[in-house]
Amino acid sequence: MVPDTTTSPRTGRQELLTALGEIEQRVLWLSAATIDHANRVRPNPTGLKVGGHQASCASMVSIMTTLWFHELTADDRVSVKPHASPALHAVNHLLGELPAEALTTLRSFGGLQSYPSRTKDPDPVDYSTGSVGIGATAPIWGALARRYVEGRFPGAGTGRQYALLGDAELDEGACWEAVQDPMVAGLGEVVWIVDLNRQSLDRVVPALSAERLAGMFEAAGWQVLTLKYGEQLTELFSRPGGEALRTRLDTMGNPEYQRLLRCTPAELRDRLPGTGSTREPLERLVATLDDDALHSAVRNLGGHDLGALLDAYAAIDDTRPTVILAYTVKGRGLHSEGHPQNHSSLLTRDQLADLATRTGADPDDPWRPLPDGAAARLCAERAEELRRPPVERIAPPPVPTDFGRTPGGTGTTQQAFGRALLDLSRSAPEAAARVVTVSPDVSSSTNLGGWLNKVGVWSPTERVDWFADDAETILHWRENPTGQHVELGIAETNLVGLLGELGATWSRWGQPLLPIGIMYDPFVNRALEPWQFGIYAGGQSLLVGTPSGVTLAPEGGAHQSITTPSLGLEQPGCTTWEPAFAQDAEWCVLAALSLLGRPDGGSAYLRLSTRPVDQSLAAVPADPAARERRRRQAVAGAYGLRRAEGTPDVTLAAMGAMVPEALAAADRLASLGVAADVVCVTSPGLLFRATQARRGLDDAPQWVLDQAFPAERAAPLVTLLDGHPHTLAFLGTVHNTPVTPLGVTHFGQSGALDEVYRHHGVDTESVVRAALDLTHRP
């Protein structure tokens, strides 16, 4: 049992609990009424289901009431489980952050979102949620991001990072990947409160065990506080027959318990005692209770006991993460409470009217303010205490566009990425100071070694590098609070979760960072969904996938990415670049960094390769004006790499590692009398936006199409990339020319580079054949 250590400077404990109880009832009413209005009051001419989750809100109202109206400080941040968003809006309304008319806009166009959204909701939302597991883990990465910012650019303050999540959400592996990461055990500001209502969407979860969950958290170094029973049940346990009651409830399966919640008092008197040795003492104990007391006792769980919740908050150990396992009833206080299928059920009009009576509300005036009194005063006081000053946003330092050096010899785009970071630290130290890199245990194999040796590894405290004096150590692992690289465990979802929060510091605390996440490209899809959600929530970051494609020939099909090149076409808020040459890679890295940490910015994805390429093939212009023109084209999506004399018979548009094959094919075609232009594509997404803009479907610049694909040189197209061919197939629409898209459409296998390219039909021979077919040559 959590000790009672809570006192209030504003009022005595009982007066506080009374006021909180009145607010709790109003939050319950407002959340239910908001959902009812969206489904039954607001006109819906299409008849399409609107939806909402009255029961999911109801199980959270006690937790949310005690948090916002007693426990939180202005520095704290809270992630609210997706289906409790109407309860969050109800809380914000009572705090004066949301006008009453906004409560009528739930799930309407431009109104309150279905799930909490930092970027779309009109009231304060600390974390966007909606994708199960991501909202739960976001405060962990938010805590890490706050610590990083505060250590380098003071002003982020302190404060706890709360996650309110449902017990079914713990089925998501992302939760446990985050809980057990070694970086998390020291984050004492992290508090998870689990709404342990023992229900999922369709059913009562038959085997959910709080004891098992507690053991898993404890094994990861978390403090565990369990709130199982409320004050009424605790008092009954002390009476004759009370131990039998505790034993009966403790050993009862979840479905049987939930069925008790649906029983009449007469049925309860028969079912609760059970059939074993507890029956006789329980029958005597139950006989001492009237119907109302028996009805309330069965549902008197710790997650609905306001005093127990306050005591739990007071017992939080701020030296390590904490989880509060709060037993609740899904639908608590509603006619649907405890029903296995109450997840999205709606109260009837009569049931809503009854709820209004029980909560002191008026169904004819659902948004009527609280009456003058202690509860209204508490709302006003808390609104003042929780008000945050406006965030003064610092503009990110300028990022150079060009280091002025032309790479020579043979090199890879992955190597160019590592060099670009080092060059940035020399050429633009203020911008480099804002860079923070994150990787899942692959720093040495993704060319981060030089950067890591220069800036060090971030750690909240300095740690001894026991290999510093080892002469054979190449990668120096200096861990201290000034480091600029964060190394997580190998879980990619953790990496992009942290990346999203590091990319949101510009909006949370006004301090922009330039976060870069590096992982093997084959595993980008594993991390794609949480990274997408981070972008949706306002996080701006650069994700680098390297090495990539079937060009990673000896690794085989398991490590050969196919679908990642089209990310820039499909992901809102993200620009994709896949450079072919080291010079292009440098320019694209700098362009991506210039997008970060600003209200008009966005995220980027770079797909890099370990294929060594002769850099002279890039033919970077020596003239400064021509060089700048090339840079602008490369950053905008494409440039003409080679122009045939006269009018071309065919255009070869290639991207990334496949450009050497396109150039070799152009030479072969020339010997056959076929004139071929070669266009180097660097960003399919930017080119697609330009083609859409030509049709009035986007506001993107179009000039790159005129320069890379001039109308007077329009010819049949062969497109080529180390990935799925659909990525570049749309280029035929630039001038409505025939197009043959070449790429990778099935799983690969190990082999030498020429064997693998030939297997997938992306070798020089395949390009030549496709061009000859398009030009109808014999």
Side-chain angles (χ1 to χ4, degrees), residues 170-221:
L170 291 175
D171 290 346
E172 284 290 338
C175 292
W176 299 107
E177 288 179 347
V179 164
Q180 62 83 42
D181 192 280
M183 189 68 77
V184 173
L187 299 177
E189 63 267 46
V190 171
V191 180
W192 281 14
I193 305 176
V194 180
D195 173 16
L196 203 72
N197 59 45
R198 293 174 277 190
Q199 284 186 236
S200 62
L201 191 151
D202 294 322
R203 60 174 183 157
V204 177
V205 181
L208 179 67
S209 168
E211 292 76 15
R212 180 175 62 86
L213 292 176
M216 294 166 70
F217 279 105
E218 287 170 346

Side-chain angles (χ1 to χ4, degrees), residues 541-567:
S541 61
L542 168 57
L543 183 63
V544 178
T546 183
S548 63
V550 300
T551 300
L552 199 60
E555 292 284 345
H559 277 185
Q560 295 171 353
S561 53
I562 297 173
T563 61
T564 50
S566 63
L567 289 182

Side-chain angles (χ1 to χ4, degrees), residues 56-72:
S56 294
C57 289
S59 64
M60 290 293 299
V61 293
S62 306
I63 294 168
M64 295 178 68
T65 297
T66 50
L67 263 184
W68 266 269
F69 296 95
H70 182 271
E71 188 63 23
L72 293 181

Side-chain angles (χ1 to χ4, degrees), residues 354-701:
D354 178 66
L355 178 65
T357 300
R358 289 187 286 111
T359 58
D362 182 352
D364 296 323
D365 186 11
W367 325 120
R368 184 181 66 188
L370 282 167
D372 291 339
R377 289 194 298 272
L378 180 57
C379 289
E381 291 172 14
R382 291 298 290 157
E384 198 62 36
E385 293 167 359
L386 294 176
R387 187 162 291 118
R388 297 169 184 161
V391 174
E392 181 180 350
R393 291 176 180 168
I394 297 173
V399 176
T401 59
D402 190 347
F403 294 132
R405 175 176 50 80
T406 303
T410 300
T412 74
T413 54
Q414 179 178 285
Q415 291 169 342
F417 165 69
R419 282 197 302 270
L421 291 182
L422 291 174
D423 286 344
L424 184 70
S425 66
R426 290 187 286 264
S427 301
E430 288 189 8
R434 297 275 173 173
V435 171
V436 52
T437 55
V438 187
S439 71
D441 200 32
V442 293
S443 299
S444 58
S445 56
T446 54
N447 276 87
L448 273 185
W451 165 259
L452 195 148
N453 285 340
K454 182 175 180 62
V455 302
V457 179
W458 181 82
S459 173
T461 59
E462 188 158 359
R463 297 176 182 173
V464 176
D465 179 6
W466 293 104
F467 287 86
D469 58 350
D470 187 326
E472 295 184 12
T473 297
I474 299 175
L475 190 65
H476 299 291
W477 208 259
R478 302 190 314 274
E479 297 181 85
N480 55 63
T482 63
Q484 289 180 245
H485 175 75
V486 182
E487 186 91 356
L488 297 175
I490 206 165
E492 287 82 6
T493 53
N494 287 349
L495 178 142
V496 294
L498 176 56
L499 207 59
E501 292 306 319
L502 290 168
T505 60
W506 66 274
S507 59
R508 289 196 194 282
W509 302 293
Q511 290 288 355
L513 295 176
L514 309 181
I516 305 173
I518 305 96
M519 67 174 66
Y520 291 168
D521 195 69
F523 308 135
V524 165
N525 281 331
R526 184 185 300 174
L528 191 55
E529 192 259 347
W531 188 55
Q532 289 174 333
F533 203 80
I535 294 174
Y536 167 79
Q540 298 173 0
S541 61
L542 168 57
L543 183 63
V544 178
T546 183
S548 63
V550 300
T551 300
L552 199 60
E555 292 284 345
H559 277 185
Q560 295 171 353
S561 53
I562 297 173
T563 61
T564 50
S566 63
L567 289 182
L569 292 170
E570 300 153 0
Q571 175 57 46
C574 172
T575 302
T576 293
W577 284 285
E578 185 170 345
F581 302 107
Q583 184 64 76
D584 297 348
E586 173 196 298
W587 289 334
C588 293
V589 167
L590 296 176
L593 292 177
S594 70
L595 296 175
L596 306 180
R598 53 197 323 123
D600 59 344
S603 293
Y605 162 65
L606 258 69
R607 189 175 190 248
L608 304 180
S609 174
T610 52
R611 182 188 184 183
V613 172
D614 178 1
Q615 297 303 306
S616 67
L617 295 176
V620 179
D623 180 82
R627 177 188 176 97
E628 173 59 14
R629 181 172 182 268
R630 167 70 70 85
R631 185 200 67 80
R632 292 182 68 246
Q633 291 172 341
V635 167
Y639 58 88
L641 179 57
R642 182 183 296 180
R643 298 298 190 195
E645 292 186 11
T647 302
D649 299 306
V650 67
T651 297
L652 310 180
M655 185 166 72
M658 306 308 304
V659 169
E661 272 59 42
L663 290 170
D667 291 338
R668 289 269 299 277
L669 289 167
S671 69
L672 297 173
V674 178
D677 280 358
V678 178
V679 176
C680 181
V681 175
T682 54
S683 176
L686 291 177
L687 294 184
F688 181 74
R689 288 195 62 192
T691 61
Q692 291 290 86
R694 277 192 172 180
R695 298 171 177 83
L697 302 175
D698 204 318
D699 58 358

